[in-house]
Amino acid sequence: MAGIGSSNYWEDLRKQARQLENELDLKLVSFSKLCTSYSSSRDGRRGDTSDTTPLLNNSTQDRMFDTMSVEIEQLLAKLTAVNDKMAEYTNTPGTASLNAALMHTLQRHRDILQDYTHEFHKTKGNFLAIREREDLLGSVRKDIETYKSGSGVNNRRTELFLKEHEHLRNIAMATKENMTSQRGLLKSIQSRVNTLANRFPTINNLIQRINLRKRRDSLILGTVIGVCTILLLLYAFH
């Protein structure tokens, strides 16, 4: 049977794992808020033609994104190392009588680590996608402004068409980004709910009912967005 020292070692590992999991949970919430605020601030500045302030704000948020990404990756690496040590302990001679309970505890911590890792990569991917789309949109807007100032100034009809086209594209992009932001937030919430489910299996039935209703609502919302997009395209080419 495992000695007192071995038992204390296992409890120390569990304590480290729980502490890292709590730190990761707080970091991931802040990380998700940063990505959401990045998209929102872009929306607010979309009509601003000034270059100085947007570049400063974007640069600051990009630095925060990079810093938080490194911090979260380091925490994930530490939690992985603790889980590996816990796995090694389960194979220690003298722990055979406790192995089933130890493996159950280890699996719970592994599931939490997997959820946090998935949530981090998902949020990070959404942020990078938003930034890439915004950079592309900025480039297109500059091209339009260059065209208008070069050959379209004296052509009233062309100018009106470009303005209308720009307006419709902004609506479409805003709708798309809002859907992306909401989807990322929902997945973040679902990930944390799944984490709770791993800790408290009795709420699994409730989560399944919520997931079924969410899929139904997603289908309805997707249909509405698709119809609106088609109507916008029909109006744009009318």
Side-chain angles (χ1 to χ4, degrees):
M1 186 173 182
I4 296 178
S6 297
S7 177
N8 290 338
Y9 177 69
W10 173 258
E11 290 302 323
D12 287 341
L13 290 176
R14 288 193 61 190
K15 183 178 179 180
Q16 293 177 36
R18 288 194 295 266
Q19 181 177 351
L20 289 169
E21 288 165 359
N22 290 335
E23 291 181 21
L24 274 167
D25 188 65
L26 294 175
K27 284 286 185 182
L28 287 170
V29 170
S30 299
F31 192 59
S32 179
K33 289 181 179 179
L34 172 66
C35 296
T36 302
S37 65
Y38 183 88
S39 177
S40 299
S41 63
R42 287 277 194 163
D43 292 340
R45 293 193 297 268
R46 186 163 286 147
D48 188 4
T49 56
S50 174
D51 291 333
T52 304
T53 300
L55 287 174
L56 178 61
N57 291 341
N58 293 343
S59 177
T60 300
Q61 289 181 313
D62 287 339
R63 286 197 298 270
M64 291 178 61
F65 170 79
D66 293 335
T67 299
M68 293 187 69
S69 294
V70 171
E71 292 175 350
I72 293 174
E73 288 172 348
Q74 290 175 345
L75 288 172
L76 289 173
K78 290 180 180 179
L79 184 56
T80 300
V82 172
N83 282 353
D84 290 342
K85 291 179 180 179
M86 294 175 72
E88 292 176 0
Y89 177 82
T90 60
N91 296 322
T92 301
T95 62
S97 60
L98 303 174
N99 196 56
L102 297 180
M103 289 301 298
H104 176 71
T105 300
L106 174 60
Q107 187 58 47
R108 286 173 54 193
H109 287 292
R110 282 175 170 172
D111 291 340
I112 293 172
L113 173 60
Q114 183 178 6
D115 289 340
Y116 284 157
T117 302
H118 175 76
E119 180 179 348
F120 168 64
H121 289 300
K122 197 69 176 179
T123 304
K124 183 178 180 180
N126 289 338
F127 180 93
L128 294 175
I130 292 172
R131 185 167 63 183
E132 181 180 357
R133 286 196 299 270
E134 289 293 345
D135 291 342
L136 178 60
L137 182 61
S139 176
V140 172
R141 187 179 295 110
K142 288 181 180 179
D143 291 341
I144 292 176
E145 292 297 330
T146 300
Y147 174 79
K148 289 169 63 176
S149 61
S151 61
V153 175
N154 297 324
N155 190 329
R156 180 62 177 171
R157 184 175 181 181
T158 301
E159 184 177 354
L160 290 175
F161 173 77
L162 289 173
K163 287 182 178 180
E164 186 66 21
H165 182 66
E166 175 77 358
H167 176 67
L168 291 173
R169 183 175 53 231
N170 286 341
I171 293 176
M173 289 296 296
T175 301
K176 190 175 183 181
E177 288 164 8
N178 185 49
M179 288 291 296
T180 300
S181 177
Q182 290 183 8
R183 184 168 61 251
L185 180 60
L186 288 174
K187 286 188 176 296
S188 175
I189 294 173
Q190 183 180 10
S191 178
R192 283 192 287 275
V193 170
N194 288 337
T195 299
L196 290 175
N198 289 326
R199 296 178 177 178
F200 307 101
T202 57
I203 66 174
N204 274 331
N205 290 333
L206 176 60
I207 294 175
Q208 291 175 359
R209 290 196 296 269
I210 293 174
N211 286 336
L212 288 175
R213 183 171 181 179
K214 187 182 70 174
R215 294 192 193 99
R216 184 192 64 187
D217 293 343
S218 297
L219 290 174
I220 296 174
L221 183 58
T223 302
V224 173
I225 293 300
V227 172
C228 291
T229 302
I230 293 174
L231 292 176
L232 286 173
L233 292 174
L234 291 175
Y235 178 76
F237 291 101
H238 181 66

